[in-house]
Amino acid sequence: MVPDYHIHTILCKHAQGEMGDYRKVACEKSLPEICFTDHAPNPDEYDSEHRMGMAQFPEYKKIVLSLSDDNPPAVLFGVEADYYENCTCFLEDWLAEQPLDLVIGSVHFIKKWGFDNPNERSVWDSVDVTNTWRIYFQLVERLVDTRLFDVAGHLDLPKKFGYRPSDKDLKEIVQPVLDRIATAKMAVELNTSGLRKPVNEIYPSAMLLGLAYEREIPICFGSDAHLPEEVGYRFEEALNLAKDVGYTHAVRFSGRHQISYPLP
Ligand code: ZN
Ligand code: FE
Ligand code: FE
Ligand code: ZN
């Protein structure tokens, strides 16, 4: 099996279980490596109900760094950090100061709208769907251009509830963004949490992943586990998707550097 590079912890207030139990499940599923990537804290109140406070970060770091022993799976230290307006003021210095293996960059908000939050789902019925995707990918483009992130998280997250543009519109919207991801040498994750959501599809779709493959954008795998039993969730399907579009390799991370490995 392949590493799981997208795992949350109870510190984010919407996940459950001991961090050791997440590793235990990874061990049972024979994952060679996992990376905790809990929602990064910030000092500016941004989305504070879904993340640890700044004061909890040292505890997070301490536990993650203490979880590795001589046996697999190795445990890497990461965060899922949101791109939002003015996030760089803080992230630029803060990320550089942490001994991180991996930083996932995600967009979860359009202005004040948590477009992937089930409680705010009804907003989708009152917006222009295609235009909303356009705005989302403008934010992803800015995320990429900061050069602060290693992996683009759940790249087509706006599809979560099934609201999506035509393939033709989506292609036109996403290709310039993928060009920038390729230039930035960022990776894209195959995030299996979409299989637990109404859309019932891995992020990104086969079409988007095919466009990423054409641009030689590296990939990694993540379950976005918020429960221990979700670690490695339906990774067989993610592996098949990767191979179906042509991938033969994925990347591991260490100290924020990519290391290519052949898919099993
Ligand atoms: Zn979360
Ligand atoms: Fe996320
Ligand atoms: Fe996540
Ligand atoms: Zn996520």
Side-chain angles (χ1 to χ4, degrees), residues 6-8 37 39 80 104 106 108 154 189 191 224-226:
H6 196 145
I7 296 177
H8 291 279
T37 53
H39 299 285
E80 177 180 17
I104 297 174
S106 298
H108 295 106
H154 36 61
E189 65 165 2
N191 182 315
D224 219 331
H226 287 73

Side-chain angles (χ1 to χ4, degrees), residues 3-8 35 37 79-80 102-106 108 136 150-157 181 186-194 202-205 208-209 212 217-225 235 238 241-242 247 250-251 253:
D4 187 340
Y5 279 165
H6 196 145
I7 296 177
H8 291 279
C35 185
T37 53
V79 288
E80 177 180 17
L102 158 67
V103 178
I104 297 174
S106 298
H108 295 106
Y136 167 79
D150 306 311
V151 179
H154 36 61
L155 187 61
D156 54 0
L157 180 63
I181 290 176
M186 277 175 74
V188 164
E189 65 165 2
L190 275 71
N191 182 315
T192 56
S193 72
I202 292 169
Y203 307 110
S205 66
L208 259 62
L209 194 64
I217 294 171
I219 51 164
C220 59
F221 297 85
S223 65
D224 219 331
F235 267 21
L241 172 60
Y247 279 98
V251 287
F253 281 87

Side-chain angles (χ1 to χ4, degrees), residues 12-14 45-51 109 117 120:
C12 72
K13 304 166 194 158
H14 59 279
E45 296 292 289
Y46 167 84
D47 195 30
S48 53
E49 62 267 45
H50 294 113
R51 57 198 62 244
F109 285 86
N117 184 336
E120 300 178 51

Side-chain angles (χ1 to χ4, degrees), residues 42 44-45 50 53 111 125 130 191:
N42 60 64
D44 58 17
E45 296 292 289
H50 294 113
K111 301 247 175 71
D125 294 318
T130 302
N191 182 315

